[in-house]
Amino acid sequence: SKTAYVRTKPHLNIGTMGHVDHGKTTLTAAITKVLSERSGGATSYVAFDRIDRAPEEARRGITIDLAHVEYETDTRHYAHVDMPGHADYVKNMVTGAAQLDGAVLVVSALDGIMPQTAEHVLLARQVGVDHIVVALNKADAGDDELTDLVELEVRELLTAHGYGGDSVPVVRVSGLRALEGDPRWTASIEALLDAVDTYVPTPVRYVDAPFLMPVENVLTITGRGTVVTGAVERGTVRVGDRVEVLGTGTRTVVTGLETFGRPMDAAQAGDNVALLLRGVPRDAVRRGHVVAEPGSVVPRRRFTARVHVLSAREGGRTTPVSTGYRPQFHIRTADVVGDVDLGEAGVARPGDTVTMTVELGRDVPLEPGLGFAIREGGRTVGAGTVSEVL
Ligand code: GDP
Ligand code: MG
């Protein structure tokens, strides 16, 4: 049988973000390779083509999508999600990024800032990712002067979004050369990991709060039942605990818990887990649902929020929105239609930051400070934070 997960170090969730082809997946593979070659054997190498597969193909057993890889430095255990770069996948990035304790922004030293670089920084800010470390990738192929310029440009971008660009670590790396084993560049990956270890603080986990987990995926394991996967937002859950699937009337018992394919007795806030639910039919639970301690949360549908309406340059709309606008709201892993009321102003132009009242098409757990994205016709048009639940 499989070895149990033993919690020996703080666990953090991080991820790569940035423009397509800047080297996110290559860097992710390189990190696991460099760490797997350290003594101790805590990290397994995950090759590029195992990370870059579509999640549907990668689903296996009750393990989590392979776009999540795990690794250990001397001081920490990390779950790392390699976020897709295409604009079409921003939605996935939003739902993934909501759980991140920190992010590695990958910028090609050859190309500099591209539209999705800026879009991801903006979304990271909106969904509450507080710490970014920059990997200036492809440094093997760039010249120093150009790379210096790109670094300046990246620091400015981060400052513009409230990340204090002057103090953010910017590490020149080559994922590709590190994968090939070139010692100069494997050292660059070590330097990047040191920056992540020291710059991204160990988060405070609300392990004593009532358990809550947004559902990312639902799987059926033949002979065992229905499994939901996701990152625990708060609290602790143990095998044998009762839980409810909010808004569905389903109450059940957790009969199994796993992280990265290894059984565990208790999962806590911040962990990426799979929960086996007793007697729950496959179609009773979906991505976007929330599993929580019974009676601990009352889902709601009306709230006020501060929202940044993306400018056309940020990939947003070219025309204003007005009261009566009905886009999709991406809240945690859920995707819900909502009616927008802009109050006295009545309109908001691309580039504006405004206060709005929203009435969702269904109840979801809401609380002040919760981040969300607004999408329309497959693209992100706004990013906001809940101010007050009404
Ligand atoms: P992603 O779309 O951001 O995940 O980018 P990939 O990891 O798929 O890499 C895109 C392309 O850039 C591939 O052809 C890689 O081989 C190349 N690449 C990635 N990292 C480096 C690097 O450090 N140096 C060079 N020269 N090329 C790289
Ligand atoms: Mg990729």
mmCIF file of all heavy atoms in Angstrom, residues 19-26 48 137-138 140-141 174-176, ligand 1:
data_model
loop_
_atom_site.group_PDB
_atom_site.id
_atom_site.type_symbol
_atom_site.label_atom_id
_atom_site.label_comp_id
_atom_site.label_asym_id
_atom_site.label_seq_id
_atom_site.Cartn_x
_atom_site.Cartn_y
_atom_site.Cartn_z
ATOM 1 N N HIS A 19 3.403 34.961 -19.667
ATOM 2 C CA HIS A 19 2.999 34.827 -21.059
ATOM 3 C C HIS A 19 3.351 33.444 -21.636
ATOM 4 O O HIS A 19 4.350 32.855 -21.247
ATOM 5 C CB HIS A 19 3.690 35.915 -21.884
ATOM 6 C CG HIS A 19 3.011 36.199 -23.188
ATOM 7 N ND1 HIS A 19 1.862 36.964 -23.264
ATOM 8 C CD2 HIS A 19 3.310 35.829 -24.450
ATOM 9 C CE1 HIS A 19 1.490 37.044 -24.531
ATOM 10 N NE2 HIS A 19 2.350 36.365 -25.270
ATOM 11 N N VAL A 20 2.523 33.009 -22.561
ATOM 12 C CA VAL A 20 2.767 31.723 -23.221
ATOM 13 C C VAL A 20 4.161 31.707 -23.864
ATOM 14 O O VAL A 20 4.621 32.733 -24.379
ATOM 15 C CB VAL A 20 1.652 31.422 -24.253
ATOM 16 C CG1 VAL A 20 1.645 32.436 -25.388
ATOM 17 C CG2 VAL A 20 1.780 30.013 -24.811
ATOM 18 N N ASP A 21 4.809 30.574 -23.768
ATOM 19 C CA ASP A 21 6.129 30.338 -24.373
ATOM 20 C C ASP A 21 7.281 31.039 -23.665
ATOM 21 O O ASP A 21 8.416 30.987 -24.151
ATOM 22 C CB ASP A 21 6.155 30.730 -25.863
ATOM 23 C CG ASP A 21 5.583 29.635 -26.745
ATOM 24 O OD1 ASP A 21 5.408 28.507 -26.240
ATOM 25 O OD2 ASP A 21 5.293 29.903 -27.926
ATOM 26 N N HIS A 22 7.016 31.671 -22.536
ATOM 27 C CA HIS A 22 8.138 32.282 -21.813
ATOM 28 C C HIS A 22 8.911 31.257 -20.975
ATOM 29 O O HIS A 22 9.966 31.570 -20.440
ATOM 30 C CB HIS A 22 7.656 33.468 -20.975
ATOM 31 C CG HIS A 22 7.436 34.705 -21.811
ATOM 32 N ND1 HIS A 22 7.459 35.982 -21.303
ATOM 33 C CD2 HIS A 22 7.196 34.833 -23.144
ATOM 34 C CE1 HIS A 22 7.244 36.853 -22.300
ATOM 35 N NE2 HIS A 22 7.074 36.169 -23.408
ATOM 36 N N GLY A 23 8.349 30.017 -20.900
ATOM 37 C CA GLY A 23 9.130 28.926 -20.287
ATOM 38 C C GLY A 23 8.622 28.433 -18.952
ATOM 39 O O GLY A 23 9.376 27.823 -18.183
ATOM 40 N N LYS A 24 7.318 28.616 -18.676
ATOM 41 C CA LYS A 24 6.769 28.207 -17.391
ATOM 42 C C LYS A 24 6.880 26.701 -17.157
ATOM 43 O O LYS A 24 7.284 26.261 -16.085
ATOM 44 C CB LYS A 24 5.284 28.613 -17.301
ATOM 45 C CG LYS A 24 5.056 30.110 -17.360
ATOM 46 C CD LYS A 24 3.572 30.464 -17.361
ATOM 47 C CE LYS A 24 2.824 29.952 -18.570
ATOM 48 N NZ LYS A 24 3.277 30.530 -19.851
ATOM 49 N N THR A 25 6.494 25.942 -18.169
ATOM 50 C CA THR A 25 6.482 24.487 -17.986
ATOM 51 C C THR A 25 7.912 23.944 -17.926
ATOM 52 O O THR A 25 8.221 23.076 -17.093
ATOM 53 C CB THR A 25 5.670 23.826 -19.125
ATOM 54 O OG1 THR A 25 4.366 24.406 -19.131
ATOM 55 C CG2 THR A 25 5.547 22.333 -18.921
ATOM 56 N N THR A 26 8.785 24.490 -18.761
ATOM 57 C CA THR A 26 10.192 24.074 -18.739
ATOM 58 C C THR A 26 10.790 24.362 -17.355
ATOM 59 O O THR A 26 11.502 23.524 -16.778
ATOM 60 C CB THR A 26 10.982 24.844 -19.820
ATOM 61 O OG1 THR A 26 10.323 24.667 -21.075
ATOM 62 C CG2 THR A 26 12.413 24.352 -19.916
ATOM 63 N N PHE A 48 8.784 17.483 -18.530
ATOM 64 C CA PHE A 48 7.968 18.475 -19.243
ATOM 65 C C PHE A 48 6.647 17.903 -19.763
ATOM 66 O O PHE A 48 5.586 18.468 -19.533
ATOM 67 C CB PHE A 48 8.789 19.048 -20.409
ATOM 68 C CG PHE A 48 8.071 20.098 -21.204
ATOM 69 C CD1 PHE A 48 8.253 21.445 -20.903
ATOM 70 C CD2 PHE A 48 7.211 19.762 -22.232
ATOM 71 C CE1 PHE A 48 7.593 22.427 -21.632
ATOM 72 C CE2 PHE A 48 6.544 20.735 -22.965
ATOM 73 C CZ PHE A 48 6.742 22.076 -22.665
ATOM 74 N N ASN A 137 13.637 34.325 -17.365
ATOM 75 C CA ASN A 137 14.034 33.050 -17.992
ATOM 76 C C ASN A 137 14.714 33.277 -19.343
ATOM 77 O O ASN A 137 14.681 34.374 -19.888
ATOM 78 C CB ASN A 137 12.779 32.172 -18.145
ATOM 79 C CG ASN A 137 13.110 30.742 -18.497
ATOM 80 O OD1 ASN A 137 14.112 30.203 -18.047
ATOM 81 N ND2 ASN A 137 12.276 30.127 -19.328
ATOM 82 N N LYS A 138 15.301 32.220 -19.863
ATOM 83 C CA LYS A 138 16.025 32.235 -21.144
ATOM 84 C C LYS A 138 17.237 33.162 -21.055
ATOM 85 O O LYS A 138 17.670 33.730 -22.065
ATOM 86 C CB LYS A 138 15.108 32.625 -22.318
ATOM 87 C CG LYS A 138 13.793 31.837 -22.365
ATOM 88 C CD LYS A 138 13.098 31.899 -23.703
ATOM 89 C CE LYS A 138 11.733 31.192 -23.624
ATOM 90 N NZ LYS A 138 11.044 31.082 -24.899
ATOM 91 N N ASP A 140 20.100 32.344 -20.714
ATOM 92 C CA ASP A 140 21.203 31.741 -21.492
ATOM 93 C C ASP A 140 21.286 32.334 -22.893
ATOM 94 O O ASP A 140 22.344 32.335 -23.509
ATOM 95 C CB ASP A 140 20.987 30.219 -21.614
ATOM 96 C CG ASP A 140 19.638 29.877 -22.266
ATOM 97 O OD1 ASP A 140 18.594 30.153 -21.630
ATOM 98 O OD2 ASP A 140 19.623 29.368 -23.401
ATOM 99 N N ALA A 141 20.149 32.816 -23.392
ATOM 100 C CA ALA A 141 20.108 33.240 -24.800
ATOM 101 C C ALA A 141 20.069 34.758 -24.965
ATOM 102 O O ALA A 141 20.234 35.261 -26.074
ATOM 103 C CB ALA A 141 18.886 32.619 -25.482
ATOM 104 N N SER A 174 17.784 29.865 -16.476
ATOM 105 C CA SER A 174 17.512 29.169 -17.722
ATOM 106 C C SER A 174 16.949 27.802 -17.378
ATOM 107 O O SER A 174 17.690 26.902 -16.961
ATOM 108 C CB SER A 174 18.773 29.011 -18.571
ATOM 109 O OG SER A 174 18.459 28.153 -19.666
ATOM 110 N N GLY A 175 15.638 27.676 -17.531
ATOM 111 C CA GLY A 175 14.989 26.397 -17.271
ATOM 112 C C GLY A 175 15.526 25.333 -18.209
ATOM 113 O O GLY A 175 15.800 24.196 -17.796
ATOM 114 N N LEU A 176 15.703 25.723 -19.454
ATOM 115 C CA LEU A 176 16.125 24.757 -20.481
ATOM 116 C C LEU A 176 17.527 24.228 -20.195
ATOM 117 O O LEU A 176 17.755 23.010 -20.193
ATOM 118 C CB LEU A 176 16.071 25.430 -21.858
ATOM 119 C CG LEU A 176 16.239 24.510 -23.050
ATOM 120 C CD1 LEU A 176 15.082 23.513 -23.139
ATOM 121 C CD2 LEU A 176 16.296 25.340 -24.346
HETATM 122 P P1 GDP B 1 5.273 28.007 -21.438
HETATM 123 O O1 GDP B 1 4.281 28.175 -22.546
HETATM 124 O O2 GDP B 1 5.470 29.286 -20.694
HETATM 125 O O3 GDP B 1 4.983 26.856 -20.536
HETATM 126 O O4 GDP B 1 6.706 27.720 -22.154
HETATM 127 P P2 GDP B 1 7.464 26.345 -22.400
HETATM 128 O O5 GDP B 1 8.072 25.844 -21.135
HETATM 129 O O6 GDP B 1 6.572 25.434 -23.135
HETATM 130 O O7 GDP B 1 8.663 26.846 -23.316
HETATM 131 C C1 GDP B 1 8.430 27.496 -24.556
HETATM 132 C C2 GDP B 1 9.653 27.393 -25.461
HETATM 133 O O8 GDP B 1 10.742 28.113 -24.888
HETATM 134 C C3 GDP B 1 10.132 25.969 -25.650
HETATM 135 O O9 GDP B 1 10.569 25.833 -26.985
HETATM 136 C C4 GDP B 1 11.299 25.874 -24.699
HETATM 137 O O10 GDP B 1 12.259 24.915 -25.092
HETATM 138 C C5 GDP B 1 11.869 27.278 -24.753
HETATM 139 N N1 GDP B 1 12.557 27.589 -23.485
HETATM 140 C C6 GDP B 1 12.053 27.413 -22.243
HETATM 141 N N2 GDP B 1 12.953 27.789 -21.315
HETATM 142 C C7 GDP B 1 14.042 28.226 -21.986
HETATM 143 C C8 GDP B 1 15.315 28.737 -21.566
HETATM 144 O O11 GDP B 1 15.617 28.867 -20.397
HETATM 145 N N3 GDP B 1 16.186 29.088 -22.555
HETATM 146 C C9 GDP B 1 15.885 28.960 -23.866
HETATM 147 N N4 GDP B 1 16.819 29.316 -24.723
HETATM 148 N N5 GDP B 1 14.710 28.479 -24.295
HETATM 149 C C10 GDP B 1 13.790 28.107 -23.376
#
